[in-house]
Amino acid sequence: MSDQSGPATTPTLAIGIDIGGTGIKGALVDVATGELMSERLKVPTPKGGEPADIVAEVATMVEAFGDSTGRVPIGVCFPAVVINGHTMSAANVSKRWIGLPAETLFEKTLGRDITFVNDADAAGVAELHFGAARGKRGLVIMTTLGTGIGSAFLYDGVLIPNTELGHLEVDGRDAESRASFAAKERSRLSWRNWAKRLQRYYDTVEMLFSPSLIVVGGGVSKEAAEFLPFLHLRAPIVPAELRNNAGILGAAWLAARPRN
Ligand code: BGC
């Protein structure tokens, strides 16, 4: 994860797969331009989020991209802390992921090497190269509002992985249980009432980390006009530009980047 120099001299095509608590999405990506080069495939995350079921869905999806050469790099991102290819947490998937050598598990099933990272980190890398964080200095905090809340720290264009700000304690509660998009849906909150929870959440983030920019991603970012105007923070807070494709794009970009 440390080498984030551009993929200019490397293959331009890569497959990106974004595993979430609700859905698994994937596409073939041109990592030079950030464009999707295939249809975006999406299947529901298997009930219970068990490792074997998720790996099987990903294998079916990879097959659908018809890479007969077996050489197109594959990046997979996942909603957990990822350390040396091991998943070390499991907030919205089966607890069996905790401590699992997930990268190896996918590689064995797919029969090839993959790049395996946290989903919000992948989304942050995509916004850094192709979206709202491009060219921004200082600390950019990308947050994804979906089934959970994911975060990525980008400091002067370098990713600091596994920050997990969805699990900050806010008002005595795990932040994502109150402020994620899933929490809005669960409690049928209006945009304004959800924004009150988001204000508490981003106030805490801002108090602790003083970011120079906050980027708000996840599928709901396409409706940013409904809730961002309610938020008042010191730092500018802007919608992600890549919407729900950021995870796919970032995973693909990381898979295609040059290695030392
Ligand atoms: C997980 C994170 C993930 C986020 C968004 C959280 O519950 O702990 O690892 O990035 O959800 O999917």
Side-chain angles (χ1 to χ4, degrees):
M1 284 302 279
S2 56
D3 181 357
Q4 288 156 53
S5 50
T9 57
T10 49
T12 39
L13 278 188
I15 293 168
I17 309 269
D18 181 0
I19 300 169
T22 311
I24 302 176
K25 306 175 286 252
L28 195 60
V29 172
D30 181 335
V31 293
T33 61
E35 275 171 82
L36 298 196
M37 302 304 285
S38 73
E39 189 193 346
R40 177 177 181 271
L41 302 181
K42 182 165 182 183
V43 294
T45 305
K47 220 164 173 284
E50 294 296 335
D53 298 338
I54 290 185
V55 172
E57 285 294 351
V58 169
T60 307
M61 192 173 278
V62 167
E63 214 167 291
F65 292 119
D67 167 28
S68 53
T69 66
R71 291 226 192 96
V72 176
I74 301 178
V76 177
C77 66
F78 190 85
V81 170
V82 177
I83 299 174
N84 295 329
H86 288 61
T87 35
M88 301 308 289
S89 65
N92 294 301
V93 284
S94 159
K95 298 292 172 227
R96 289 211 192 129
W97 286 96
I98 300 174
L100 215 66
E103 184 170 279
T104 308
L105 200 68
F106 281 98
E107 287 178 341
K108 280 199 179 135
T109 306
L110 298 172
R112 56 206 274 195
D113 285 352
I114 65 156
T115 296
F116 189 75
V117 295
N118 172 266
D119 58 351
D121 285 342
V125 164
E127 291 293 331
L128 175 66
H129 293 286
F130 306 115
R134 201 170 9 186
K136 302 289 181 198
R137 310 294 293 176
L139 179 63
V140 178
I141 298 185
M142 160 92 186
T143 53
T144 60
L145 304 176
T147 313
I149 295 182
S151 61
F153 276 27
L154 304 158
Y155 188 76
D156 281 355
V158 175
L159 172 72
I160 301 162
N162 290 316
T163 47
E164 292 292 327
L165 296 198
H167 302 295
L168 279 179
E169 191 177 308
V170 178
D171 298 330
R173 308 270 289 272
D174 188 47
E176 72 174 23
S177 72
R178 302 259 307 151
S180 67
F181 180 62
K184 173 188 186 298
E185 300 275 276
R186 255 192 325 267
S187 306
R188 296 170 197 230
L189 298 177
S190 64
W191 292 111
R192 183 183 284 273
N193 283 336
W194 185 44
K196 284 183 191 156
R197 294 187 181 187
L198 290 175
Q199 182 72 47
R200 289 286 306 138
Y201 174 63
Y202 286 113
D203 273 343
T204 308
V205 169
E206 186 155 68
M207 183 263 292
L208 291 171
F209 301 106
S210 300
S212 43
L213 174 69
I214 301 172
V215 180
V216 180
V220 71
S221 58
K222 65 176 178 291
E223 302 192 78
E226 303 282 358
F227 62 97
L228 285 192
F230 292 126
L231 299 183
H232 300 288
L233 294 146
R234 205 167 51 227
I237 180 162
V238 299
E241 288 176 14
L242 306 167
R243 307 272 164 84
N244 229 0
N245 288 336
I248 295 175
L249 292 171
W253 191 94
L254 287 164
R257 78 196 190 282
R259 316 294 156 103
N260 295 327

